[in-house]
Amino acid sequence: MGALESRDIHKRYGSTAVLRGVSFTARPGAITLLAGPNGAGKTTWIRVATGLARPQAGQVLFDGQPVPGQRHRLGVVLNHPSVYPHLNGYDNIRCLAGVGSWNRRRIHGAVESLGLGLEDARLRRRAGGCSHGEKRLLVLACALIRDPQLLLLDEPSLGADPLVWQRITNTLKYMRDEGRTVLLTGQSLNTLEALVDDVAVLLDGCVVFHGSLAALRGRRPPRVEVRVRDPEDVGTLLRVARPLPGAPVGTFSVPCGSRAEAEEVASRVQALGIPLLRLEVREDTLEEAFTSLLDADHGREPREDAHAG
Amino acid sequence: MPVEGPAAPGGRRQSLRLWWSEGKLLAASHWTRVLLAVLVLLLLWAEMGTYRAALNQEADIEYVYRASGGEDASEEALRSFARSHPDARTQREAIWGLHPATGANRTLAVLGALGPMVLAVWSAHWVGAEYGWRTAAVRAAHTGWRRVLGARLAWIVLASGLVSVAVAGVGSLAARISWPLLVASSRFAAWLDPPDLGIAAGRQVLAVAAGMAVYGLMAATVAVMTRSALAGALAGLVVPNLEVLLAGRSPLLWMLPWGLHAGLLTDHLVYLWGGFAGAPPFAPPAPGPEWRWVGCLLWMLVWSGLTLGWSGRQEIR
């Protein structure tokens, strides 16, 4: 299995530079999240990687070769669930997955083995009459049935209900465990956190972070979060903590240098003997780490409300 | 979970499979059914119109006979007049229009007039709708847009041939059904000498198919370049009429698609007087009849080359 390498991709639309030297690597056997705010260039990068858009410079390689030359090893799910509305699920899969010679039984067997919950009755229906979620499952099936070595998914969690998302994540984890290279984009970072291994963060067309999820979450040290019941106790607590903006009244946060220090601070707060509603040693979630990264890149102080749990 | 995915592209077998699956997609298209239904209705209309016109010749022959000085009102005299007199050519050929020997010629003449526009609308939709549904992006990523379009262009050319063959067959069959009915109810039909068109039906089919294919490919090219089925269809409807407007402005206009198509039709189809379909309005002379075939082939190559070349560089949304 090969790695996916984005090498110094530059892409402009007219005078607007959308990608400005995007370089990162997605490992095989790992799920990489390409994160970024709206307009950061995630979808454009996917389009460049799949050959749908031509970059002004740079290239995307899989296993050392340009991706568009290896279409038979590629599965793509674009952010819009594009289907032929007048065809049923079977015919859509035949055309969109590029398996035109497969008969219905073979497609049914393959789809069933994907574990996406697409039953025969659903596949017999015209795709135009399917819900948004069903269409997403269908296009995902089109990508997965190709048995791709490289899977690129643009916003796969969009419009997926919890059950559908669970099926999707199970399938993606299976592919990762098989050693495939999986890269996805998405905005629902809380949802994606349990799924991804690596993260590349795009901001204004540049990669501002690339590494493991643990490394991103560990960019800022842990902290102790505490909430008191009685506002009278606030004065006591203010000796060690500062209020957490955006959180309920009486919530405080203590930044620490390390996990050990955070645990010591938590012990000290507990030793104060005041009634507590909450006492927790916390590390950044993916969303918090992402937000702080964007704030830092914009030259601002990290917003404290990013820590609100 | 592991399934065997598609094989690596590039082989002849893979290309044939892709071509075949595109054909199945074509057959499943609503537009294919709608436009085929339109074509069948037009042919039915032409058939009934021809039948009605043939029946109406009874009175006309008598009228023309008397107008040209005929005094002997016997049936024999009228039949003789209808069979060979130059003044009765319109009436005679209107009846011939239903003869089995002219059946394919008649329906092909109708197809020659309407087919290029019908095929252009159909081709533009078949190619251009992919952009609207955004399936072009998935096809491009998984299969390669140029490969998909290559298969479709091949189908457009083949479809013009298949439709022409089918229409010729329908005309031939319809004439075999309607001619005996006409003979049974007409005083003159049975007495006319059978017409001799002198052109093989195969060449007639090819002549009609060539013009249709040129316009089908042109509409597909416009649809790809503009990413719009509507633009392609409009081009297919407007361009032939613009070409007709240009008729006669230059001796080189025979090289335009309409000049070539009209020339092939007039070279290979017989437009009977009093028939349902008239000859094309504009068929400028070419240096030689074979040049029209060469011209059609060149236009097909030009449109196909433009489509495939453009699609290789196109950004698909």
Side-chain angles (χ1 to χ4, degrees):
Chain A
M1 304 291 173
L4 177 72
E5 291 174 72
S6 174
R7 286 191 186 167
D8 197 28
I9 299 289
H10 289 261
K11 175 67 186 169
R12 302 178 72 88
Y13 287 114
S15 59
T16 309
V18 182
L19 301 176
R20 298 181 295 159
V22 174
S23 298
F24 65 89
T25 303
R27 293 181 292 137
I31 298 177
T32 302
L33 170 68
L34 184 60
N38 289 334
K42 303 183 295 291
T43 297
T44 300
W45 185 88
I46 294 254
R47 285 166 39 74
V48 167
T50 50
L52 300 178
R54 297 163 68 87
Q56 273 78 32
Q59 54 183 347
V60 182
L61 305 174
F62 178 60
D63 219 359
Q65 301 291 322
V67 174
Q70 304 185 74
R71 295 188 195 287
H72 61 290
R73 301 175 74 191
L74 171 69
V76 180
V77 176
L78 299 169
N79 59 1
H80 186 272
S82 313
V83 291
Y84 292 105
H86 58 289
L87 297 183
N88 64 27
Y90 285 110
D91 290 334
N92 264 292
I93 288 174
R94 272 192 202 103
C95 292
L96 295 174
V99 291
S101 61
W102 289 20
N103 61 25
R104 191 170 278 205
R105 180 182 291 184
R106 187 173 176 189
I107 292 175
H108 182 248
V111 170
E112 217 167 38
S113 72
L114 294 174
L116 292 172
L118 274 172
E119 312 94 4
D120 178 61
R122 278 208 232 184
L123 291 172
R124 284 176 186 274
R125 277 169 44 200
R126 279 177 62 246
C130 291
S131 70
H132 189 80
E134 286 173 324
K135 286 179 190 169
R136 288 207 79 87
L137 280 180
L138 193 57
V139 295
L140 188 65
C142 290
L144 294 175
I145 207 170
R146 296 169 57 77
D147 189 27
Q149 306 300 304
L150 169 63
L151 187 60
L152 302 175
L153 307 104
D154 196 5
E155 306 266 9
S157 60
L158 206 66
D161 66 36
L163 182 63
V164 167
W165 179 241
Q166 178 144 28
R167 287 173 176 157
I168 293 174
T169 53
N170 287 343
T171 308
L172 296 183
K173 283 175 182 171
Y174 184 92
M175 298 209 65
R176 172 188 60 194
D177 297 343
E178 285 266 292
R180 321 288 172 98
T181 309
V182 181
L183 182 140
L184 50 85
T185 71
Q187 300 284 14
S188 313
L189 300 182
N190 288 332
T191 311
L192 295 167
E193 184 165 6
L195 178 65
V196 303
D197 304 293
D198 295 340
V199 183
V201 179
L202 269 182
L203 182 62
D204 295 334
C206 298
V207 175
V208 293
F209 175 85
H210 172 224
S212 68
L213 174 64
L216 178 61
R217 291 181 59 187
R219 283 182 77 248
R220 289 199 300 176
R223 62 196 176 276
V224 175
E225 281 185 13
V226 57
R227 187 176 169 202
V228 294
R229 182 194 301 273
D230 189 352
E232 293 289 316
D233 296 327
V234 168
T236 315
L237 203 58
L238 274 173
R239 278 179 246 147
V240 291
R242 50 185 168 141
L244 190 60
V249 176
T251 307
F252 295 82
S253 172
V254 187
C256 304
S258 65
R259 177 98 198 168
E261 186 189 335
E263 280 167 4
E264 191 190 326
V265 169
S267 306
R268 283 172 55 200
V269 169
Q270 211 156 23
L272 291 172
I274 53 177
L276 301 175
L277 284 173
R278 187 173 134 219
L279 177 64
E280 190 182 0
V281 175
R282 284 199 59 206
E283 290 178 325
D284 275 349
T285 62
L286 172 59
E287 189 168 299
E288 289 163 348
F290 174 76
T291 311
S292 84
L293 189 68
L294 298 193
D295 285 338
D297 196 82
H298 279 119
R300 297 193 297 266
E301 279 296 306
R303 289 195 304 266
E304 283 295 336
D305 58 359
H307 294 261
Chain B
M1 163 45 198
V3 289
E4 187 195 338
R12 185 181 295 176
R13 201 168 165 190
Q14 282 297 310
S15 299
L16 274 175
R17 278 182 180 169
L18 173 64
W19 177 78
W20 185 243
S21 71
E22 290 305 311
K24 286 199 265 188
L25 189 60
L26 165 69
S29 161
H30 289 316
W31 276 82
T32 304
R33 293 168 194 169
V34 167
L35 291 176
L36 278 178
V38 166
L39 210 54
V40 167
L41 286 175
L42 285 170
L43 289 175
L44 198 61
W45 178 46
E47 194 65 27
M48 292 170 75
T50 308
Y51 188 81
R52 193 182 58 205
L55 272 182
N56 288 344
Q57 302 313 314
E58 302 255 324
D60 286 4
I61 286 174
E62 276 196 59
Y63 176 80
V64 175
Y65 176 68
R66 294 195 192 289
S68 60
E71 289 178 356
D72 177 6
S74 68
E75 281 293 292
E76 186 56 41
L78 279 171
R79 283 170 185 160
S80 173
F81 176 79
R83 192 161 53 226
S84 57
H85 199 282
D87 289 350
R89 181 178 175 185
T90 304
Q91 289 70 32
R92 185 167 56 246
E93 293 198 353
I95 294 173
W96 270 353
L98 273 189
H99 194 279
T102 66
N105 179 81
R106 180 178 67 252
T107 44
L108 283 173
V110 175
L111 186 67
L114 302 170
M117 286 181 276
V118 172
L119 196 82
V121 170
W122 170 81
S123 305
H125 181 265
W126 193 33
V127 171
E130 295 267 353
Y131 296 98
W133 294 327
R134 300 196 194 178
T135 42
V138 184
R139 304 294 315 269
H142 282 164
T143 309
W145 192 224
R146 187 186 285 184
R147 289 187 71 222
V148 172
L149 285 177
R152 291 193 174 195
L153 296 183
W155 267 111
I156 289 171
V157 175
L158 185 67
S160 26
L162 288 177
V163 168
S164 301
V165 168
V167 163
V170 165
S172 198
L173 183 69
R176 276 171 174 74
I177 295 169
S178 53
W179 180 253
L181 296 175
L182 182 69
V183 166
S185 54
S186 163
R187 290 154 61 196
F188 303 106
W191 295 92
L192 297 181
D193 297 325
D196 178 20
L197 300 182
I199 305 165
R203 284 184 73 84
Q204 292 185 315
V205 164
L206 274 180
V208 173
M212 285 172 62
V214 168
Y215 280 102
L217 294 175
M218 181 206 70
T221 305
V222 175
V224 167
M225 285 179 154
T226 58
R227 301 191 185 97
S228 161
L230 181 63
L234 282 176
L237 295 174
V238 170
V239 169
N241 292 299
L242 281 179
E243 291 179 71
V244 171
L245 286 179
L246 290 173
R249 293 181 190 269
S250 162
L252 295 175
L253 288 177
W254 69 270
M255 290 189 287
L256 290 180
W258 183 258
L260 295 165
H261 175 57
L264 283 176
L265 292 185
T266 46
D267 284 353
H268 294 88
L269 297 180
V270 176
Y271 289 92
L272 296 170
W273 288 23
F276 188 82
F282 163 54
E290 69 281 4
W291 283 100
R292 299 196 204 275
W293 292 107
V294 174
C296 272
L297 191 64
L298 283 177
W299 275 113
M300 285 187 220
L301 292 174
V302 164
W303 296 130
S304 303
L306 266 176
T307 305
L308 297 179
W310 191 277
S311 64
R313 303 182 54 79
Q314 187 170 47
E315 298 213 348
I316 300 170
R317 298 193 181 102

